[in-house]
Structures are given as structure tokens and as C-alpha cells.
Amino acid sequence: MRDLHVYVTPVGPGARGEHAAFYTRRADGPFYRWRYVEGSGRWLYSRVSLSKPTLRVLCVARWEAVPTELRDRLGEHYLE
């Protein structure tokens, strides 16, 4: 997927194996927040507006760190 950037918030020492929230943005488009919903077993997204302090906290996620199911959903969401 061209120009797709995936971000994650850094995991702190108190984190307990919960699924992380991922943020995506393609080129200069809007940001989306992705979260895993246990009951449905799916990754859901919402369009978000991020403040500058929040943007400074986000880290670029390695593609290998993105769960396979989320990669599949990103492929559906960001059709070429």
C-alpha cells in the first residue's frame, strides 16, 4: 500500500498484553484509529483528529509488528 503510515502509542511498563491501538494515515489524508474488539473478533476503525502533543507521542510501527488480521483490514480499507 503506497504512502500508508502505521503508528502505535509506545507501550509503557504497566501494559498487560492488551491489543494496542494503531493509527494509520495515507499520504496527507485523515488519521484513523484501529482497535481490536474482543466480542466480534474484528479490528474496527474510527476517523480521528489528533492534537500536536498526541502526534509527538506516536511511534512508527514496523509492518511486522502489525497483526495479520489488521493488515488484512488495512488492505480492505485502503484499496488501491
Side-chain angles (χ1 to χ4, degrees), residues 11-19:
V11 178
R16 292 185 212 125
E18 298 175 4
H19 286 281

Short mmCIF file of all heavy atoms in Angstrom, two decimals, residues 11-19:
data_model
loop_
_atom_site.label_atom_id
_atom_site.label_comp_id
_atom_site.label_asym_id
_atom_site.label_seq_id
_atom_site.Cartn_x
_atom_site.Cartn_y
_atom_site.Cartn_z
N VAL A 11 4.31 1.36 24.32
CA VAL A 11 3.78 0.55 25.42
C VAL A 11 4.58 0.86 26.67
O VAL A 11 5.80 0.78 26.67
CB VAL A 11 3.88 -0.95 25.07
CG1 VAL A 11 3.38 -1.79 26.23
CG2 VAL A 11 3.09 -1.24 23.82
N GLY A 12 3.87 1.21 27.72
CA GLY A 12 4.52 1.52 28.99
C GLY A 12 4.78 0.26 29.79
O GLY A 12 4.31 -0.81 29.47
N PRO A 13 5.53 0.39 30.87
CA PRO A 13 5.89 -0.78 31.69
C PRO A 13 4.69 -1.42 32.37
O PRO A 13 4.74 -2.59 32.71
CB PRO A 13 6.86 -0.21 32.72
CG PRO A 13 6.65 1.26 32.71
CD PRO A 13 6.11 1.62 31.36
N GLY A 14 3.57 -0.70 32.51
CA GLY A 14 2.40 -1.27 33.18
C GLY A 14 1.43 -1.94 32.24
O GLY A 14 0.38 -2.40 32.66
N ALA A 15 1.74 -2.03 30.96
CA ALA A 15 0.81 -2.62 29.98
C ALA A 15 0.68 -4.11 30.21
O ALA A 15 1.62 -4.81 30.52
CB ALA A 15 1.31 -2.35 28.57
N ARG A 16 -0.54 -4.60 30.03
CA ARG A 16 -0.82 -6.01 30.25
C ARG A 16 -1.26 -6.68 28.96
O ARG A 16 -2.40 -6.77 28.71
CB ARG A 16 -1.97 -6.18 31.23
CG ARG A 16 -1.69 -5.77 32.59
CD ARG A 16 -2.90 -6.15 33.44
NE ARG A 16 -3.03 -5.18 34.48
CZ ARG A 16 -4.09 -4.48 34.74
NH1 ARG A 16 -5.17 -4.62 34.05
NH2 ARG A 16 -4.10 -3.60 35.71
N GLY A 17 -0.54 -7.11 28.10
CA GLY A 17 -0.90 -7.92 26.95
C GLY A 17 -2.15 -7.51 26.19
O GLY A 17 -2.71 -8.31 25.49
N GLU A 18 -2.65 -6.32 26.39
CA GLU A 18 -3.82 -5.88 25.67
C GLU A 18 -3.41 -5.52 24.24
O GLU A 18 -2.28 -5.20 23.98
CB GLU A 18 -4.43 -4.64 26.33
CG GLU A 18 -4.92 -4.89 27.74
CD GLU A 18 -5.40 -3.62 28.40
OE1 GLU A 18 -5.43 -2.57 27.75
OE2 GLU A 18 -5.74 -3.70 29.58
N HIS A 19 -4.40 -5.61 23.36
CA HIS A 19 -4.12 -5.21 21.98
C HIS A 19 -3.88 -3.71 21.94
O HIS A 19 -4.61 -2.93 22.54
CB HIS A 19 -5.30 -5.56 21.06
CG HIS A 19 -5.40 -7.02 20.79
ND1 HIS A 19 -4.61 -7.65 19.86
CD2 HIS A 19 -6.19 -7.97 21.32
CE1 HIS A 19 -4.92 -8.92 19.83
NE2 HIS A 19 -5.87 -9.14 20.70
#
